[in-house]
């Protein structure tokens, strides 16, 4: 799922096949994305709907999923990156802008918030496999003075067919200062052939190229995109050949 990629990490050895497994799937985030504009900080609600305490570790990355967080320099900080979250409790986790001068002034910037939840054993003698689950959501920073509005950006996308190394590609250009998060795209006419949108993000003043079957007749595209509130919106655009 693009909104929140959950990566399962094992935190204990699989010593015997008979051990039961417990997962920290009860930790939930209060939003599918965090948006910072003029404010210097924002709070993300982290809730534990389970019946046991969880150890929470949080950090921000610049898009490198597997990179060591201690080796990444990002202009944000989470003041309390490690904390215990008891059963049926919530915590307002702060995300603070530390270096806005290093962020682009002419476009929206995108980072990722990671929340790793590790279930805590009630009994030190328990012999089960502890699964730590990482939830990862988008963090957007919007400088003041950007032209237009984020909700208008999907309609401004330019779609055109190109040929690249003997294969057809659908190039999607974004001439706006906003990120566009594609959810799904269907070829028109027919509205039946789905086009692979990859990770679904078209960055500001950038483009992506999507594979298109050679035999596919395509004159337009019906696509859905995700707005600031995580809702799915629809739009239709023509294709330039």
């Amino acid at each position: 799922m693009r909104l929140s990629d959950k990566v399962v990490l094992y935190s204990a050895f699989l010593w015997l096949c008979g051990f039961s497994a417990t997962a920290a799937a009860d930790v939930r985030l209060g939003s599918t994305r965090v948006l910072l504009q003029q404010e210097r900080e924002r709070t993300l609600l982290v809730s534990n709907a389970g019946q046991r305490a969880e150890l929470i570790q949080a950090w921000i990355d610049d898009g490198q999923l597997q990179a060591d967080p201690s080796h990444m320099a990002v202009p944000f900080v989470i003041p309390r990156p490690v904390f215990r979250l008891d059963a049926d409790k919530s915590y307002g986790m702060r995300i603070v802008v530390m270096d806005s001068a290093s962020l682009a002034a002419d476009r929206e910037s995108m980072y990722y918030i990671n929340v790793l939840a590790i279930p805590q054993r009630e009994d030190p003698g328990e012999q089960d496999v502890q699964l730590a689950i990482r939830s990862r959501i988008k963090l957007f920073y919007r400088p003041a003075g950007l032209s237009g509005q984020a909700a208008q950006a999907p309609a401004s996308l330019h779609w055109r067919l190109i040929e690249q190394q003997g294969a057809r590609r659908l190039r999607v250009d974004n001439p706006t200062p906003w990120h566009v998060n594609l959810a799904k795209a269907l070829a028109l006419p027919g509205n039946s052939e789905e086009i692979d949108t990859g990770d679904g993000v078209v960055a500001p003043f950038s483009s992506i190229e999507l594979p298109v079957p050679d035999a596919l007749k395509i004159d337009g595209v019906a696509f859905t995109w995700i707005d600031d509130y995580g809702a799915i919106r629809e739009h239709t655009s023509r294709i330039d050949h």
Side-chain angles (χ1 to χ4, degrees):
M1 186 177 183
R2 297 187 183 101
L3 297 181
S4 177
D5 301 322
K6 290 192 173 182
V7 183
V8 179
L9 305 172
Y10 288 91
S11 61
F13 292 103
L14 297 175
W15 289 343
L16 296 173
C17 294
F19 285 170
S20 63
T22 58
D26 291 315
V27 171
R28 298 164 188 174
L29 306 184
S31 176
T32 60
R33 59 202 56 229
V34 171
L35 174 61
L36 281 158
Q37 299 188 79
Q38 270 54 237
E39 61 273 89
R40 286 194 55 83
E41 69 175 74
R42 180 75 74 180
T43 298
L44 174 66
L45 189 67
V46 184
S47 302
N48 181 3
Q51 298 181 351
R52 62 169 65 190
E54 309 277 357
L55 179 65
I56 307 297
Q57 180 180 6
W59 68 95
I60 297 171
D61 74 66
D62 58 4
Q64 302 178 68
L65 179 62
Q66 304 298 340
D68 184 345
S70 65
H71 294 161
M72 280 187 292
V74 296
F76 306 92
V77 67
I78 297 173
R80 190 183 172 195
V82 179
F83 55 93
R84 174 189 168 101
L85 188 59
D86 289 328
D88 200 29
K89 297 293 184 182
S90 297
Y91 172 70
M93 187 176 73
R94 295 168 58 216
I95 297 99
V96 181
V97 182
M98 294 296 292
D99 184 16
S100 59
S102 67
L103 291 159
D106 65 340
R107 69 195 67 191
E108 186 179 58
S109 297
M110 186 178 77
Y111 290 79
Y112 291 86
I113 301 170
N114 300 265
V115 176
L116 181 68
I118 306 170
Q120 301 297 285
R121 285 188 172 93
E122 299 291 340
D123 180 359
E126 280 185 290
Q127 290 185 327
D128 60 358
V129 176
Q130 300 293 304
L131 300 183
I133 294 183
R134 178 168 67 174
S135 296
R136 191 167 181 257
I137 65 172
K138 295 180 177 71
L139 167 64
F140 295 99
Y141 176 81
R142 289 180 181 167
L146 296 184
S147 61
Q149 298 178 6
Q152 299 169 341
S156 299
L157 294 180
H158 181 207
W159 303 71
R160 61 191 174 98
L161 279 173
I162 62 172
E163 182 127 348
Q164 187 180 71
Q165 297 179 345
R168 292 172 83 207
R169 310 280 291 182
L170 186 58
R171 183 183 174 100
V172 188
D173 293 297
N174 180 6
T176 78
W178 314 92
H179 284 84
V180 177
N181 290 262
L182 300 176
K184 190 175 183 179
L186 297 173
L188 297 176
N191 202 29
S192 59
E193 185 77 24
E194 186 169 352
I195 300 167
D196 181 8
T197 57
D199 67 3
V201 178
V202 192
F205 308 124
S206 300
S207 63
I208 60 174
E209 293 181 2
L210 311 175
V212 179
D214 290 340
L216 179 64
K217 177 176 173 57
I218 177 170
D219 295 319
V221 61
F223 66 94
T224 56
W225 55 279
I226 304 166
D227 70 11
D228 285 348
Y229 307 98
I232 301 295
R233 306 294 183 185
E234 299 180 356
H235 192 77
T236 300
S237 293
R238 66 183 180 86
I239 300 292
D240 291 336
H241 294 264

